[in-house]
Amino acid sequence: MEQGLNVLGFSYNGYHFSFGQRTYIMGVLNVTPDSFSDGGLYFDLDRALERAYSMVEAGADIIDVGGESTRPGSDPVPLEEELRRVLPVVERLARELKVPISVDTYKAEVARQALERGATMINDITGLRADPRMPEVVARFGCPVVVMHIKGTPKNMQENPTYEDVVAEVKEYLLEGIRLAVEAGLPREKVIIDPGIGFGKTVDHNLEILRRLKEFKALGQALLVGTSRKSFIGKLLNLPVNERLLGTAATVALSIAGGADIVRVHDVGEMKQVVQMADAIVRGYHHG
Ligand code: 8Y7
C-alpha cells in the first residue's frame, strides 16, 4: 500500500503525531561530557538549551536528548550520572520548547523520571530488552516509544557482527519488541520501529537494510531511521565524521523513499531541505 493512504496517528502530552503525510525530523542533542569543554564535571545547561533552540529554529520536529554515548566501544553510564545529565535538560526543554522531547535511554528509571518532567517519547536503543521494567513504564504513561534493533551491546556490537539474513533477523527482533510493549498495555500505533543502523552491523548490513527498508513497513508501524554521520558513510566515502553531510543527505533521501517516517539527524537545517524535496517527490507533500 502507498504511504500517505495509510496514516498512523495518535496524541500524547499535547502533541499530535500523524505519520505517513510527511517526514518528521528528530534532532540529536547529546548531553555527554565529550560534548562540552569543561570535561563533564558540570554540564552547561544553557549551551544544551541553545543547541536545542537552534535545531527547532532549523526545522526539528522532535529533540532527542541522550546522556550516554552509544558509539561503538563506549561504556555504560551509571544511573545516577545519567539522571544528573538528562533530567535538568528535559525539564527545561519540555517547559520552553514547542516541540516534543524524546529521551534516548534504555533505563526504565531514567524514562520514568524524564516522562514525569515532561518528556514525550522514549528512544530505547535496545528495543525494550536492556531493562525488564521499560515496557511497563512506557505502557503506564502511554507514550510513544522507539524500539530499535541492536545486536550485542555498544561496547561489543562492532566485533564481527554476522547474520544469516540481516533484514529477517532485525524484523524478528523488532516484532518481539512490539510484542513486549503491546503485552504491557501500550497501544500498538505508539510503537515506532528502527532497524538500528550501525548497531552491530557491517557496512554491507547497513546498505542492505536501507536497500530493503520497505520490508520493515510491512510490520505496520511508524519507522525511524538514523544514519546521520555514521561510520558506514565514512567508510564508503573515506571521509571523517565532519565531512559526511552529503553522504548523510543521500541516505536521508533514500530512507524517505523507502518509507521512513522519522529521520534522526545532527544537521537539521541541511536535512530539512532534503526532507522537503523527498517529501514533495515521494509523498506529494508540500511543506509550508
Ligand atoms: C540511533 C539512535 C543513536 C539510531 C535511534 C549516533 C541514540 C549513534 N543512533 N537512536 N541513537 N536510532 N532510535 O551516531 O539510529 O547518533 S547514537
Side-chain angles (χ1 to χ4, degrees):
M1 189 187 296
E2 272 306 312
Q3 276 249 324
L5 298 176
N6 188 15
V7 175
L8 277 161
F10 57 82
S11 291
Y12 177 72
N13 199 27
Y15 294 102
H16 185 71
F17 297 83
S18 181
F19 297 118
Q21 263 220 316
R22 68 176 179 93
T23 308
Y24 287 66
I25 298 176
M26 173 183 272
V28 178
L29 183 67
N30 288 317
V31 290
T32 51
D34 47 48
S35 312
F36 297 93
S37 51
D38 61 28
L41 289 173
Y42 169 78
F43 288 111
D44 191 341
L45 188 55
D46 290 329
R47 262 185 64 182
L49 298 171
E50 264 314 304
R51 170 104 186 113
Y53 295 136
S54 93
M55 288 195 289
V56 172
E57 189 77 15
D61 298 294
I62 305 166
I63 299 295
D64 188 41
V65 180
E68 174 178 324
S69 170
T70 47
R71 283 173 201 293
S74 57
D75 287 308
V77 171
L79 173 64
E80 289 307 320
E81 176 61 17
E82 192 177 334
L83 290 169
R84 190 181 74 84
R85 293 177 185 180
V86 167
L87 292 182
V89 177
V90 167
E91 189 159 19
R92 282 283 298 275
L93 290 181
R95 212 174 331 124
E96 297 177 19
L97 285 187
K98 59 180 196 295
V99 304
I101 307 308
S102 161
V103 178
D104 158 24
T105 188
Y106 51 76
K107 294 186 183 77
E109 186 59 19
V110 174
R112 185 183 72 75
Q113 294 198 37
L115 290 162
E116 277 177 354
R117 283 164 178 76
T120 297
M121 180 181 299
I122 299 301
N123 176 21
D124 186 341
I125 63 147
T126 76
L128 309 178
R129 304 312 205 279
D131 189 333
R133 311 222 89 138
M134 189 64 101
E136 71 191 60
V137 168
V138 294
R140 170 151 47 86
F141 283 86
C143 66
V145 64
V146 179
V147 166
M148 197 194 83
H149 172 268
I150 183 170
K151 184 157 186 155
T153 64
K155 187 82 183 164
N156 67 21
M157 65 191 178
Q158 292 309 103
E159 296 168 9
N160 188 35
T162 54
Y163 300 86
E164 201 195 305
D165 175 342
V166 65
V167 170
E169 184 168 331
V170 171
K171 278 177 72 176
E172 275 308 311
Y173 185 97
L174 296 176
L175 265 176
E176 175 62 13
I178 297 164
R179 197 189 65 75
L180 288 169
V182 170
E183 193 102 316
L186 189 71
R188 179 175 293 269
E189 63 269 21
K190 288 179 169 170
V191 182
I192 298 156
I193 57 170
D194 180 343
I197 294 295
F199 286 84
K201 283 114 182 155
T202 63
V203 170
D204 284 336
H205 293 141
N206 292 317
L207 297 174
E208 181 169 1
I209 286 168
L210 292 173
R211 191 179 301 125
R212 296 173 60 187
L213 205 56
K214 286 210 156 128
E215 295 179 43
F216 294 95
K217 293 302 288 176
L219 299 181
Q221 306 300 127
L223 177 64
L224 187 153
V225 180
T227 56
S228 183
R229 301 180 182 175
K230 280 184 179 171
S231 84
F232 78 112
I233 298 171
K235 284 175 182 157
L236 252 145
L237 301 180
N238 192 27
L239 286 172
V241 67
N242 58 320
E243 293 178 35
R244 297 175 188 168
L245 193 63
L246 292 167
T248 297
T251 63
V252 165
L254 287 165
S255 294
I256 293 167
D261 297 291
I262 307 175
V263 291
R264 182 180 177 280
V265 299
H266 301 85
D267 306 286
V268 172
E270 291 87 346
M271 295 312 136
K272 175 79 185 175
Q273 293 187 22
V274 176
V275 167
Q276 285 198 75
M277 289 307 299
D279 276 351
I281 295 165
V282 172
R283 309 179 194 268
Y285 180 87
H286 295 262
H287 287 251

